[in-house]
Amino acid sequence: MPFREINSKMVEATVVPGQKMYSRRGAMLAYRGDVSFTPNIQGGQGGLASMIGRRVADEATPLMTVEIPVGPGGPGETPRGTVMFGHGGHHIQVIGLSGDTLYVEADRLLAFDGTLQQGTMFMGSQGGVMGMVRGQVTGQGLFTTTLKGHGEAAVMAHGGVVELPITPGRPVHVDPQAYVAHHGDVRNRLSTALGWRDMVGRGSGEAFQLELSGSGAVYVQASEEKL
């Protein structure tokens, strides 16, 4: 397990040679050992394609590569380091992936394993026009970030996070402003909680709901405030 939760707003990661991590720039609070931090200009794991995806998504959260340079050590000695991460006093949730895909906004990413493949998804590919409308309602825009593979990611939220399981035949409805992320084989669509006539004059996002169905989990924050 690369991440250890120190408290609700700080996590610690163990770094060993040959295993990279990526973090939000400015998220490092303290570290021990011969750890290097390098600005990442290729958008994390995924190289040029990931970088292009981040630019298309108007992603403005630059990353750092976190690693220990491979070098000689003493007999039986494996260089190790630990890094503490946190940002803005936000609550942190560690999410583990076992070959599935995490859908999360890039500005919510605090740090993640270098083993995870980073990409970008067009919101219209999940729900068509309503998928794009969902992006505007939630403040996500037309694109969202994906992380796929085996590993862990630490994401940020306001007021703490609850994980709600999604099982076949039992969809979960979420306020779009409280949505943080989801993973698994999940389908989602934007639905109206009220009739169009009742919505006239209402500015609240509560006029819409996100309906998530399939098999996986959704993460909901205890606030309707965006980062």
Side-chain angles (χ1 to χ4, degrees):
M1 179 177 177
F3 291 107
R4 180 177 70 88
E5 297 184 17
I6 299 175
N7 57 41
S8 63
K9 300 180 181 181
M10 299 171 65
V11 294
E12 184 179 68
T14 298
V15 187
V16 299
Q19 296 183 6
K20 293 181 180 181
M21 295 186 62
Y22 297 100
S23 75
R24 179 191 184 107
R25 293 190 196 178
M28 187 277 291
L29 301 176
Y31 72 93
R32 299 185 182 94
D34 188 22
V35 183
S36 71
F37 301 86
T38 308
N40 188 284
I41 62 173
Q42 292 187 324
Q45 185 77 2
L48 182 60
S50 178
M51 179 184 67
I52 294 174
R54 289 162 65 85
R55 291 297 179 265
V56 169
D58 196 22
E59 182 0 66
T61 307
L63 296 177
M64 297 287 287
T65 300
V66 183
E67 61 186 333
I68 289 183
V70 177
E77 178 184 347
T78 301
R80 303 171 70 87
T82 57
V83 185
M84 295 171 58
F85 295 108
H87 185 72
H90 298 306
H91 286 78
I92 302 170
Q93 176 74 26
V94 177
I95 301 174
L97 298 176
S98 301
D100 50 346
T101 301
L102 175 70
Y103 299 85
V104 61
E105 282 305 281
D107 63 358
R108 289 188 179 271
L109 282 175
L110 180 71
F112 59 94
D113 284 337
T115 55
L116 296 175
Q117 185 73 29
Q118 185 183 5
T120 305
M121 186 197 75
F122 175 54
M123 297 297 289
S125 65
Q126 285 197 356
V129 173
M130 288 305 287
M132 292 185 284
V133 173
R134 167 200 158 167
Q136 298 303 315
V137 171
T138 61
Q140 293 175 320
L142 298 180
F143 297 85
T144 194
T145 296
T146 61
L147 294 174
K148 182 177 182 179
H150 295 264
E152 290 186 341
V155 303
M156 298 179 291
H158 280 290
V161 175
V162 62
E163 177 182 357
L164 300 178
I166 303 169
T167 57
R170 301 190 65 182
V172 176
H173 295 83
V174 177
D175 184 317
Q177 304 300 324
Y179 167 87
V180 173
H182 75 270
H183 73 87
D185 183 15
V186 174
R187 297 172 298 280
N188 65 92
R189 69 185 185 93
L190 187 69
S191 61
T192 57
L194 303 170
W196 287 106
R197 179 179 300 174
D198 296 327
M199 287 170 54
V200 174
R202 293 175 180 264
S204 170
E206 294 179 356
F208 295 92
Q209 296 176 347
L210 285 180
E211 179 183 298
L212 299 104
S213 60
S215 179
V218 59
Y219 298 86
V220 181
Q221 69 178 16
S223 169
E224 293 184 344
E225 185 178 355
K226 301 298 289 182
L227 293 183

